[in-house]
Structure formats: structure tokens, C-alpha cells
Amino acid sequence: MSNDLSLQREQQARQLFFEQGFCDLNIFPEEIYDSWRRCLAHHLDPAAPMKKVLSKGEFKMRCDQNAQLLSIAVPFMELLYQVVKDTDFSIMLSDSDGYILKLIGDPSILRDYKHKDNPLVEGSCRSENIFGTNGIGTSLALRKPIQLTPNQHFRLEPHPVSGTGAPIILANGTPIGALSMSGPPNKVHRHTLGMITAASRAIEEQFALQQTNTQLATTKNQLQTILDTFDQGVFLIDSNYTIIDANRTAQKLLGFGKHEIINQSVFSFIKKLDFSNVESAVYDVELSFHTRFKTENFFVTLHRIDQDAYHSFLIVFRESERVHNLVNKYIGSNAYFTFDDIIGESTAIVSVKENAQIAAQNGSNVLLVGESGTGKELFAQSIHNSSSFCNGPFIAVNCGAIPRTLIESELFGYESGAFTGAKRSGNAGKFELANNGTIFLDEIGDMPYEVQIDLLRILQTREVTRIGGTKPIPLNIRIIAATNVDLEQAIAKKTFRRDLYYRLNVLTFHIPPLREREQDALLLADYFIQKYQQPHRQSLLGISPSVRQLFLQYPWPGNIRELENTIERACLLTQEHEISPKHLPINILKGTIFHNSASSQRDDKAFRIQIASSGSSIRPVEAAEKELIETTLKICCGNIKETAERLGLSRRTLYRKVDKYHIDYHGIRKLF
């Protein structure tokens, strides 16, 4: 059936060709012949009028959809019209569906076109499948320029017209419209097709260029938006070191508007910036910037961007103070403890806590005096966290741990080239890093004598000057010092400056040793048990009564630090519900039993315990002594000599104690 239909349309096409005067089909262009066959396939009647015209609303919608095409093509149409003006030619622009969007021509011709059976007006359709073979529709169908003689048009026209058309196609192959020119056949120039083709190509190129510019503008806006969201300043520098872009943060940091920065030399803002050795990137160099109001330090990262023979630079800069605060945050320079973390109910510790809490409310210097391990840094952190400096950094410096040759550069910082081996960018010292916060100078008594004068100057002026520098850096800082040294004796020995001592000794707190804190050792022991007991083992209920008595009698020379280490060790060793003397280090047992005879003689009837094996009642110190001797005998396989040496006793004394506590060392020896 389809073959019969094709044959019928072929015969119709041939008949139409003969009616048009084409006797020899071989000289008729094949593409026109194919177009006519397509027209017949769409059931088009060449003699039937075609008056399909868009309504005003539909036409406006089409124009809005093709606004960019119109804005580009109309100027080209007006140029073409100047060439053919007053020659009865008209120039048309259609969209991709063949609807005429713009019509330019001689006014008299345009009036005549309105009254034809097939009116040529804006909004009329010239698609090939609706109107038949014509300059607009067929060029869109073929996707190439075409020129038609009057009798090659599919529709019969009372007046002969030649048509020339060329499609407008994007780079991706999408047709967006067509440009066409029609007029009297006797006035058609052989270059007409070339003019229309050139105009359509120019429109395509302009359209592509405009799209590229739009994409570039969109990309630039997106990039600018990204840059403006950065909390760091950004400069884009060309090969002549001229600033060609600056983000909002850069403008804010420097105090200048964008118009005051763009096209300025970068050296107007950064004097010592060196581009000579930048191969790819330079990171975190601290440099001075000239802002609107003052000279200020920033950390600078510099990237070189190479593209063919052209190169540019990207500069990213951040405030030094902000970088220092970030460094403090991530290197652990923070205060975690508060006064609530200081455990104790003794009069001594409660009193010093109350006074320190009051002192925290002002910014005066604080001196903490106490033995090692009493918790001086715990107090320093608590004072910091209760003060107005709590949102700033907390920098702890052990003055006795830093080598004498480095302590000045560590504390005060240094400028570039201040000494051999110094960083090119210089380095901020601890005082500078602690700005707007607290610096804790632990073991202040061990600070080298020659450095103390510089510390005194900082305390007096609240300014620090880097080594090799000339510009003082103002400090808003709280200074807390601590020592386990008798500073008055150090002054007498000429190892500590008297003027520095009086400058530090504004608010002095003596942190009591653990032996002076009554029963705080037991509270702390319970706290450390909760902290260190092993989660996969049975719960520890606490310490045995004998260990409690030992803890109260032991002098704790290492203070809280020693107690914490003792409990941590016991938690690792015990498999029972409580810590007993056998879980304690020998030095604690020996220190209590053999080197504190005076305390062992005091009345402790209230603490007596029953020993089941003997049925006798003995003091807790003696119970611990018995347990220690038995444990040591087992370690030494019942050997009396070795046991006595380990315990620091003579063999005679050991035999006497074995008899006293009814210890069967012979039975222990048989076990091994």
C-alpha cells in the first residue's frame, strides 16, 4: 500500500513539474524535486491559499522566546536592507519552526504582501511541511542555503518571486532560525545567495560569541561569589604585578574599596613581597601590609599561574592574630580545667580555691607557689577559664625545659634573618601567640637570669619586640607564673631578679602539698579509681581499709601526681573488687612502714582490723607490713637473704617479724 502511495505522489510531482513548464526532469534540481515530494507527502495543495498567522499573544511569546536571536539578527537585516532598498526586496527572519519573527522591506511591497492569498507578514508560517517549498522552510529542512526561482516554489503565486534562504545553526548542530530574502526574479543578483549565507554565518558567530560571553560572565560571577565567601583576602595579580581583582574580604581587611585596589601595583600594599623565586607556590609567609589606617601583619600564600607565555599570581592572606589563634586551638594550647575540677574538702585547699576564684576576676599577675605535683597548672587553667581572657588562648611554657639558647626566641619570637638558621618568614613567640589570652610560665625559677630582664620589660610595658625587630607588638595578656623554688632564696643566690619577683608577686597563692590536706588523698583516690578502672574488668569498689590508712600516713613526696600514678598502676594490676596493699608500689609500703616509725606509733585503735589467720588484733600498718613480707617471700621463693635485701632489712630483723606475724616461710619455700 505504501509503495502505491509513493508512486502516486511521484506521479503528482511529475505532473506539477510539467505544469510549471519543466519538460526535462533531468535538468530540475534533485533537492527541489525531493522537496516537492515531501510537500505532497504532507498533503499540501499548491493552489490552496495558506493564511495561517499567529495571534498577537502567540507572536509575542515566540518573540520573547527568541529575544537573543532577534537582538543579534535584526542589525544584520537592516544592513542588508540598505543594500537592496527601493528594489522591491524584502528580508525575513524566522524561528526554528519557520514562523516569521521580523520582516523588513519597502513599505509598498509589505502592504501588497498583506493582501495576498498567501500573506507574507510577521507571525505567518513558512515551514516546508505547512507552506511548501520556499526559501525559509526548505533551507531549514535541508540545513543549508538555497536559492529558488519563481517556478521552483511549491505554491502557485500570481506574481513571480525569487527566494533565497539560509538556516542559522548553532555550533552544536541545533537550528535556531533562518534568514531569507525575496524579490523580483529580474532583480536577483548572482551574489544574493552569498550575501544571505554570509549574514546567517555572521549571526551564528555572533550568537556563539554572545553565548560564550554569557557563560564567561556567569562563570566570573560564580567565581567572584566563591571568592567573596572566603574569609581570607584574595588578590589576582597580572605579570606586571598589577592587581586585577580583589575579593570583599581583602577590601575589608585593608580598609579600601575595590576601585581603590584594582589597577594598583601590589607593592603599594605589600612592600617586601618577592616574586623572583616563586616557581609554583610559597606558603604562609608573614608580611607587613599597608592598610588604610596602619601597618599590619598578615600570613601570605602566593601561587604562580602559568598559561603559555603568560603568567599571573594569586595572593591569599590572613590576619596574623587569627592564624595564631587557630594555631593555639589545634596544637592543644587550651585550658580544659575549671575550679570544679579541683577536688578536695580540706581547709587548706578550700581556702586557696576561694581566693584564686576572686583573683581570676581581674587581670593582675598571679604567682603560684608549691611543690611539684600539687596541681599548679590545674589552678592556672582554672583561673584562665574564670577570667575575662577565657575566650583567648592559653599558652603553657615550661621555662626549665627550653634550652637556654632557644628560650628568648621561643618566648619573644624573631624577625626574618635575626640569626643564622632563622626562618625566612620570621616566627611569632609564645607571648605573641598568647595575645588576648593567658600565658602560663611554669618553673619560672629556672628561667635564665639574662632573660629575666626582657620578661620584666614585658610585664611593665605590656609589649613584646621580636628578636631582630624594632616594632613593639602590644599585648592584652594575663600572666600566671608558677614555681617550686623558694624565690627569696634564689634572689639571695643571685639566680632570680628581685625586681621581677616583686612584679610577679602581686597575687601569690601557696598550693598546699597533699600531706597537708587531711583526708583529701582518699577523695582523690576515689576520683582516680573512677578515671582509670578497666572497663572490661569487674568494677572496683574502692580501696581496702588498710590501704586507706596507708594513704593517710604516707607523706606523698610526689603529691597528687604520685597518687594518680599509684592508682593507675593498681587499676591495671588488680583483679579484685578493691585495691589492697599488694597492689601498691614497694616504695609506698616501705615509706609508710619502715621510714615513718613515728606515725606508726600513734593511737589507731579505731582503725584496727581482724586478721583471720591469727585471730589477733593488730594495727593496719602491721597488717600491711605482714602482707608485704609474705608477698616478697613469694617473689624470692622463700629465700630469707634475698627477701631481706629487697625489703632493706637485716636478716635478724626479718626473722623477728616473720615470727611476730606467724609467717610460714618454710611452707612458702616448699611451694617452689
Side-chain angles (χ1 to χ4, degrees):
M1 180 68 181
S2 60
N3 290 335
D4 293 341
L5 185 60
S6 297
L7 181 61
Q8 180 183 356
R9 289 169 181 166
E10 176 78 19
Q11 292 172 346
Q12 287 178 318
R14 287 177 178 272
Q15 180 62 35
L16 285 170
F17 272 87
F18 283 120
E19 291 175 359
Q20 292 286 356
F22 290 95
C23 298
D24 187 355
L25 292 178
N26 293 325
I27 65 172
F28 197 83
E30 187 69 25
E31 58 193 16
I32 304 300
Y33 186 56
D34 290 340
S35 174
W36 282 33
R37 286 195 294 183
R38 290 195 297 271
C39 295
L40 292 171
H42 285 96
H43 307 289
L44 300 183
D45 183 354
M50 209 293 291
K51 296 186 177 182
K52 180 174 182 177
V53 179
L54 296 172
S55 67
K56 288 184 179 181
E58 292 172 329
F59 177 69
K60 183 180 183 304
M61 184 175 67
R62 290 265 176 177
C63 289
D64 291 342
Q65 292 170 347
N66 293 275
Q68 187 177 5
L69 174 63
L70 281 163
S71 67
I72 294 172
V74 170
F76 287 99
M77 296 172 66
E78 290 173 343
L79 284 174
L80 284 175
Y81 178 65
Q82 295 304 316
V83 177
V84 298
K85 188 176 181 181
D86 300 325
T87 59
D88 298 333
F89 273 86
S90 60
I91 302 168
M92 293 158 280
L93 173 71
S94 80
D95 65 8
S96 58
D97 294 326
Y99 286 95
I100 297 175
L101 303 175
K102 185 66 176 178
L103 179 61
I104 299 177
D106 296 339
S108 59
I109 296 298
L110 297 183
R111 282 196 299 270
D112 291 342
Y113 283 160
K114 289 181 180 179
H115 304 293
K116 291 185 177 182
D117 289 338
N118 303 311
L120 182 62
V121 293
E122 291 178 349
S124 60
C125 185
R126 288 298 185 268
S127 173
E128 187 185 74
N129 60 7
I130 293 177
F131 193 81
T133 308
N134 69 95
I136 289 177
T138 303
S139 67
L140 283 170
L142 296 175
R143 294 198 174 199
K144 69 176 187 178
I146 190 170
Q147 192 166 37
L148 301 173
T149 61
N151 54 7
Q152 289 175 339
H153 288 79
F154 183 77
R155 289 193 176 276
L156 300 176
E157 295 286 351
H159 303 289
V161 176
S162 291
T164 304
I168 302 169
I169 301 175
L170 296 181
N172 62 5
T174 303
I176 58 171
L179 191 65
S180 178
M181 181 185 291
S182 64
N186 61 331
K187 294 181 180 180
V188 173
H189 196 275
R190 58 192 181 95
H191 296 306
T192 303
L193 181 61
M195 289 194 320
I196 289 296
T197 301
S200 69
R201 295 294 176 268
I203 294 169
E204 290 171 353
E205 291 175 4
Q206 187 67 24
F207 200 98
L209 182 61
Q210 199 170 94
Q211 279 193 320
T212 301
N213 289 338
T214 301
Q215 291 172 353
L216 287 173
T218 301
T219 302
K220 184 179 185 300
N221 289 336
Q222 291 172 341
L223 179 60
Q224 191 66 51
T225 301
I226 293 170
L227 291 178
D228 285 341
T229 60
F230 279 15
D231 58 355
Q232 303 172 27
V234 178
F235 280 167
L236 184 61
I237 313 295
D238 66 14
S239 56
N240 295 318
Y241 311 121
T242 299
I243 302 172
I244 57 178
D245 202 357
N247 72 342
R248 288 179 184 170
T249 305
Q251 300 164 44
K252 182 179 178 181
L253 291 174
L254 300 180
F256 293 105
K258 192 166 187 175
H259 66 282
E260 297 175 289
I261 298 174
I262 302 301
N263 297 324
Q264 296 295 316
S265 169
V266 68
F267 300 112
S268 301
F269 302 96
I270 320 171
K271 293 290 185 185
K272 294 184 178 181
L273 187 58
D274 184 9
F275 292 92
S276 59
N277 296 319
V278 180
E279 294 183 0
S280 57
V282 176
Y283 296 93
D284 290 333
V285 179
E286 191 168 9
L287 296 173
S288 296
F289 278 59
H290 294 293
T291 70
R292 181 180 291 278
F293 305 107
K294 61 181 178 178
T295 299
E296 195 170 339
N297 279 9
F298 292 88
F299 276 96
V300 175
T301 295
L302 178 62
H303 296 273
R304 178 181 173 126
I305 305 168
D306 290 310
Q307 187 173 8
D308 300 327
Y310 177 80
H311 64 269
S312 58
F313 298 92
L314 185 71
I315 294 178
V316 181
F317 53 95
R318 298 166 289 170
E319 294 170 290
S320 294
E321 183 177 323
R322 184 165 169 264
V323 174
H324 293 159
N325 290 339
L326 286 173
V327 170
N328 295 334
K329 179 179 179 180
Y330 291 108
I331 65 174
S333 297
N334 283 310
Y336 298 103
F337 298 106
T338 67
F339 285 109
D340 291 336
D341 296 306
I342 300 176
I343 297 170
E345 297 176 354
S346 63
T347 303
I349 199 66
V350 169
S351 175
V352 73
K353 275 178 63 175
E354 290 176 350
N355 290 330
Q357 285 177 302
I358 295 171
Q361 304 308 311
N362 60 65
S364 299
N365 302 331
V366 172
L367 178 62
L368 304 174
V369 180
E371 298 175 7
S372 294
T374 52
K376 294 187 290 296
E377 183 166 353
L378 182 61
F379 268 88
Q381 292 191 21
S382 300
I383 291 170
H384 168 78
N385 283 326
S386 296
S387 72
S388 58
F389 296 96
C390 62
N391 293 322
F394 177 87
I395 301 294
V397 181
N398 189 325
C399 300
I402 304 174
R404 296 176 68 90
T405 54
L406 297 179
I407 191 165
E408 286 184 289
S409 60
E410 283 291 315
L411 288 177
F412 312 130
Y414 57 83
E415 293 290 0
S416 174
F419 50 84
T420 302
K423 291 181 182 178
R424 284 183 58 189
S425 57
N427 196 57
K430 301 297 186 185
F431 276 95
E432 199 174 333
L433 291 173
N435 202 13
N436 297 314
T438 300
I439 186 166
F440 174 51
L441 301 174
D442 199 8
E443 307 300 348
I444 189 73
D446 296 329
M447 177 177 284
Y449 195 82
E450 61 274 14
V451 179
Q452 293 175 24
I453 185 62
D454 296 314
L455 175 58
L456 178 63
R457 188 178 299 112
I458 292 174
L459 291 172
Q460 291 172 336
T461 64
R462 296 291 167 172
E463 293 178 339
V464 64
T465 302
R466 293 185 181 183
I467 298 172
T470 58
K471 186 185 71 171
I473 300 168
L475 296 175
N476 175 34
I477 197 170
R478 175 77 172 265
I479 297 174
I480 302 176
T483 183
N484 61 0
V485 173
D486 187 332
L487 293 183
E488 291 187 352
Q489 287 186 10
I491 291 170
K493 294 177 181 178
K494 305 293 186 185
T495 60
F496 201 82
R497 295 181 62 93
R498 184 180 299 275
D499 48 5
L500 177 59
Y501 172 68
Y502 290 129
R503 179 64 67 172
L504 287 171
N505 193 22
V506 177
L507 293 168
T508 301
F509 299 103
H510 175 77
I511 313 301
L514 189 54
R515 63 181 175 274
E516 296 178 4
R517 293 176 54 178
E518 302 167 1
Q519 296 195 32
D520 283 351
L522 303 181
L523 292 174
L524 288 164
D526 291 338
Y527 170 78
F528 291 133
I529 287 172
Q530 295 300 317
K531 180 179 178 181
Y532 289 114
Q533 67 174 309
Q534 304 299 298
H536 57 281
R537 298 182 185 175
Q538 58 184 345
S539 297
L540 269 172
L541 301 179
I543 57 178
S544 68
S546 58
V547 171
R548 295 176 72 87
Q549 186 61 23
L550 284 172
F551 279 6
L552 290 174
Q553 292 180 340
Y554 184 62
W556 297 109
N559 290 293
I560 298 172
R561 188 179 297 122
E562 183 182 8
L563 174 59
E564 182 175 4
N565 292 341
T566 298
I567 296 297
E568 183 179 6
R569 175 185 184 274
C571 288
L572 291 171
L573 293 177
T574 184
Q575 299 289 332
E576 303 167 10
H577 285 293
E578 64 180 12
I579 296 173
S580 60
K582 65 182 178 181
H583 301 127
L584 303 180
I586 287 179
N587 66 297
I588 290 182
L589 296 172
K590 288 172 63 176
T592 304
I593 298 169
F594 304 117
H595 302 288
N596 195 12
S597 58
S599 64
S600 67
Q601 298 300 319
R602 66 187 174 180
D603 185 11
D604 56 355
K605 293 181 181 179
F607 301 102
R608 293 180 181 275
I609 58 174
Q610 298 296 317
I611 306 299
S613 60
S614 63
S616 62
S617 179
I618 60 174
R619 287 190 295 270
V621 172
E622 292 174 334
E625 185 177 41
K626 176 179 184 292
E627 188 170 350
L628 173 63
I629 293 171
E630 286 180 331
T631 301
T632 309
L633 278 168
K634 290 176 182 178
I635 293 172
C636 298
C637 302
N639 188 304
I640 291 291
K641 179 182 179 182
E642 186 178 349
T643 301
E645 289 176 351
R646 281 179 176 255
L647 294 175
L649 303 172
S650 67
R651 278 186 287 179
R652 178 178 295 181
T653 301
L654 179 58
Y655 277 123
R656 181 170 54 80
K657 291 182 179 291
V658 166
D659 290 340
K660 175 182 178 181
Y661 298 128
H662 307 289
I663 298 173
D664 184 9
Y665 69 91
H666 294 292
I668 293 173
R669 188 178 295 170
K670 288 178 182 179
L671 294 174
F672 300 95

